[in-house]
């Protein structure tokens, strides 16, 4: 069996891998209040590029799920929507972090086994 | 147009589409947020360049954001019409309907060839005319049903029981019942084919003439007996052999494929022989046009020959394919 493995396939898998951790990255940034632009910049500075077309619908979805709260405020003479984790969001975030650490540990063990 | 107007138009269009596509969403809030994001990007770019952006540059930036309809669609509750739970049922439905309509339309078109009066070509073409319409109508209907199921939370894959499963194939040396049934019917058909010539006279004695000749004014050309008839008997014998192998040696590729390969060769030989044999029927009656009947019959024989080619290719592939170490012996 020949498995096609080119740049395109790698890119698809890479995006899939990153997409899974995007929600957690956004939630981690929203432990402090931010609005869309600064949130995107913050994630970008951490090496997690995310375009507006993905970020804003994600924020909306998390808010509709009760994980975020938002409010409109004027800043620099422009109305901006500020987001932060809700109480429920903080609890879910803590559990997700725990899950991620456990998953990372398992993956590390698995990868070590493969490399030796 | 001023750059501020470009942005305003863009944001307003996004708002309109959000209202259309993502019902119930806060269109005004979403549009305001998108507008803020666009302004931030413009300011960021202007800071990099040290000057205000030109109209073309703002246009390019808005293009990067995406078409307003695409931007609005991201706020919808679900983007796919049919999700992975319902999709297998949708696909099976479409395949089954397509197969049934294909068979029905083929049979109808063949009947038209024999029964049409006047312009046969036009009648034949018309017989296929509503195929696409039927298919599209059904696909549309089943898509709507599946979409409703999807959104109403109906999950047809829930509540199944392992004991209700009926696999189409059973391997690893167990009897394959489809092969056994095929063998029984094949043997009965073969017996009828072998016996029929000898009892034909007794069967039709009361009529004193073959029924098809009496009714349609058509009789078989001499090439059928014994040449083409023998081909048919041999093909049916080989088919019964293949079914027997399916039933009793389902895991033995060699036993299953050799009769299929022989059946393919015989079937192709039958089709080509019939095609090259000139008239296959002699028509004396007024009901059937002999020339047209023979043209259609010869064409059908070519189609039959072509139909046996994939069977032969499949058998050759199964007999010659390299075996992996994981394949059963």
């Amino acid at each position: 069996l020949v498995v096609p493995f080119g740049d395109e396939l790698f890119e698809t898998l890479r995006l899939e891998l990153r997409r899974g951790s995007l929600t957690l990255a956004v939630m981690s940034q929203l432990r402090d209040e931010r609005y869309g632009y600064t949130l995107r910049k913050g994630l970008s500075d951490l090496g997690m590029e995310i375009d507006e077309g993905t970020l804003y619908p994600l924020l909306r979805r998390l808010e509709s799920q009760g994980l975020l709260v938002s409010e409109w405020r004027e800043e620099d003479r422009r109305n901006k929507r500020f987001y932060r984790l809700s109480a429920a969001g903080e609890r879910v975030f803590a559990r997700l972090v725990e899950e991620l650490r456990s998953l990372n540990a398992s993956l590390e063990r698995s990868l070590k086994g493969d490399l030796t | 147009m001023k750059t501020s107007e470009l942005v305003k138009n863009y944001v307003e269009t996004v708002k309109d589409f959000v209202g259309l596509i993502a019902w119930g969403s806060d269109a005004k809030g979403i549009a305001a947020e998108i507008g803020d994001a666009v302004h931030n990007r413009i300011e960021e770019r202007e800071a990099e360049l040290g000057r205000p952006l030109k109209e073309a540059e703002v246009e390019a930036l808005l293009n990067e954001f995406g078409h307003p309809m695409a931007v609005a669609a991201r706020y919808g509750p679900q983007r796919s019409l049919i999700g992975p739970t319902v999709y297998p049922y949708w696909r099976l439905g479409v395949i089954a309907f397509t197969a049934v309509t294909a068979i029905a339309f083929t049979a109808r078109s063949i009947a038209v060839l024999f029964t049409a009066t006047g312009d046969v070509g036009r009648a034949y073409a018309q017989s296929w005319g509503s195929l696409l319409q039927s298919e599209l109508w059904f696909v549309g209907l089943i898509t709507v049903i599946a979409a409703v199921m999807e959104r109403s939370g109906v999950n047809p894959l829930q509540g199944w029981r392992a004991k209700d499963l009926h696999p189409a194939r059973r391997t690893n040396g167990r009897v394959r019942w489809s092969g056994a049934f095929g063998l029984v019917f094949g043997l009965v058909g073969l017996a009828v084919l072998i016996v029929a010539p000898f009892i034909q006279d007794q069967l039709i004695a009361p009529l004193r003439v073959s029924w098809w000749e009496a009714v349609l004014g058509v009789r078989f050309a001499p090439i059928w007996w014994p040449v083409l008839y023998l081909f048919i008997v041999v093909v049916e014998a080989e088919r019964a052999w293949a079914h027997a192998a399916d039933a009793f040696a389902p895991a033995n590729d060699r036993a299953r494929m050799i009769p299929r390969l022989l059946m393919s060769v015989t079937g192709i030989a039958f089709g080509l022989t019939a095609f090259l044999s000139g008239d296959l029927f002699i028509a004396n009656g007024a009901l059937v046009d002999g020339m047209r009947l023979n043209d259609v019959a010869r064409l059908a024989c070519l189609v039959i020959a072509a139909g046996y080619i994939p069977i032969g290719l499949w058998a050759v592939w199964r007999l010659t394919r390299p075996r992996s170490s994981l394949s059963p012996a």
Side-chain angles (χ1 to χ4, degrees), chain B:
Chain B
M1 188 183 277
K2 284 182 184 173
T3 55
S4 59
E5 271 181 67
L6 271 181
V7 175
K8 192 179 164 195
N9 283 350
Y10 179 82
V11 171
E12 285 297 314
T13 315
V14 169
K15 192 169 120 188
D16 292 342
F17 276 119
V18 169
L20 271 175
I21 297 169
W23 300 330
S25 300
D26 168 23
K28 201 176 161 189
I30 289 170
E33 200 166 42
I34 295 288
D36 184 46
V38 171
H39 283 298
N40 281 324
R41 282 273 282 271
I42 290 174
E43 283 172 9
E44 194 179 37
R45 197 71 58 88
E46 285 178 343
E48 279 170 21
L49 297 169
R51 61 165 175 81
L53 289 188
K54 293 171 187 165
E55 190 183 316
E57 289 166 330
V58 173
E59 265 195 293
L61 191 141
L62 293 174
N63 270 331
E64 281 174 27
F65 261 80
H67 190 281
M69 196 196 297
V71 172
R74 293 188 188 114
Y75 290 89
Q78 183 186 341
R79 278 179 240 164
S80 59
L81 191 61
I82 305 167
T85 310
V86 180
Y87 177 75
Y89 280 85
W90 179 89
R91 189 168 181 268
L92 266 180
V94 169
I95 290 172
F97 182 79
T98 305
V100 169
T101 46
I103 292 167
F105 274 79
T106 304
R108 190 173 80 166
S109 70
I110 291 169
V112 163
L113 281 175
F114 287 98
T115 57
T117 52
D119 190 342
V120 181
R122 174 172 291 189
Y124 182 76
Q126 280 173 347
S127 73
W128 289 98
S130 54
L131 174 63
L132 185 63
Q133 194 185 348
S134 307
E135 187 70 23
L136 287 176
W137 183 88
F138 179 78
V139 170
L141 179 70
I142 197 172
T143 302
V144 170
I145 293 170
V148 169
M149 282 169 70
E150 186 75 42
R151 276 149 189 78
S152 57
V154 174
N155 184 352
L157 297 181
Q158 265 179 353
W160 62 278
R161 295 183 306 179
K163 67 177 180 182
D164 292 336
L165 300 176
H166 301 290
R169 290 178 173 190
R170 293 183 185 193
T171 54
N172 300 328
R174 295 172 65 186
V175 170
R176 193 182 279 179
W177 292 107
S178 60
F181 282 119
L183 175 63
V184 170
F185 284 110
L187 288 176
V188 170
L190 192 61
V192 171
L193 272 173
I194 291 170
V195 173
F198 302 103
I199 60 168
Q200 184 183 229
D201 286 346
Q202 285 78 9
L203 283 174
I204 61 171
L207 295 172
R208 299 285 173 207
V209 64
S210 53
W211 69 268
W212 52 84
E213 192 172 0
V215 177
L216 299 171
V218 174
R219 60 190 164 92
F220 287 107
I223 185 70
W224 283 94
W225 180 260
V227 182
L228 296 181
Y229 189 79
L230 276 178
F231 272 121
I232 293 171
V233 171
V234 173
V235 164
E236 288 314 308
E238 288 160 347
R239 196 187 306 278
W241 177 9
H243 283 308
D246 285 351
F248 300 113
N252 188 337
D253 260 7
R254 195 177 164 81
R256 292 178 59 228
M257 293 304 137
I258 287 176
R260 283 179 167 82
L261 184 59
L262 294 174
M263 187 172 81
S264 165
V265 172
T266 316
I268 293 167
F270 163 79
L272 292 179
T273 307
F275 179 73
L276 298 169
S277 298
D279 288 351
L280 295 170
F281 297 98
I282 298 164
N284 297 320
L287 283 173
V288 177
D289 179 339
M291 192 180 292
R292 192 196 303 163
L293 174 66
N294 278 304
D295 286 347
V296 172
R298 292 177 69 219
L299 188 66
C301 289
L302 262 193
V303 173
I304 289 169
Y308 278 102
I309 293 173
I311 297 172
L313 291 176
W314 178 53
V316 169
W317 176 73
R318 290 293 293 253
L319 287 168
T320 58
R321 68 181 169 153
R323 289 175 187 279
S324 83
S325 55
L326 293 174
S327 297

Side-chain angles (χ1 to χ4, degrees), chain A:
Chain A
L1 182 70
V2 181
V3 179
F5 194 83
D7 290 346
E8 205 177 316
L9 178 60
F10 171 76
E11 190 57 24
T12 307
L13 293 173
R14 190 182 73 86
L15 286 175
E16 228 169 75
L17 193 64
R18 291 174 72 93
R19 201 177 297 134
S21 43
L22 210 53
T23 305
L24 196 58
V26 167
M27 288 175 84
S28 75
Q29 289 290 297
L30 291 178
R31 283 174 294 176
D32 300 320
E33 190 179 71
R34 289 169 191 269
Y35 69 96
Y37 178 72
T38 51
L39 173 59
R40 199 172 76 89
K41 288 284 283 180
L43 289 168
S44 173
D45 292 344
L46 290 170
M48 295 203 76
E49 295 287 347
I50 178 170
D51 64 88
E52 291 93 341
T54 306
L55 177 63
Y56 289 109
L58 174 62
L59 290 172
R60 290 273 162 170
R61 198 169 65 246
L62 292 176
E63 191 185 14
S64 71
Q65 289 165 340
L67 301 175
L68 301 182
V69 286
S70 71
E71 70 170 324
W72 285 92
R73 276 206 312 271
E74 193 177 306
E75 191 183 272
D76 300 332
R77 287 176 299 155
R78 201 185 295 151
N79 269 331
K80 296 178 192 303
R81 187 171 193 160
F82 287 85
Y83 294 90
R84 65 179 165 77
L85 280 185
S86 65
E90 279 174 14
R91 283 197 298 274
V92 171
F93 175 68
R95 288 178 65 186
L96 285 175
V97 169
E98 206 176 299
E99 184 66 26
L100 178 74
R101 288 195 173 130
S102 156
L103 191 64
N104 265 342
S106 303
L107 269 175
E108 278 300 327
R109 282 197 299 276
S110 173
L111 290 172
K112 268 182 199 164
D114 279 353
L115 294 174
T116 52

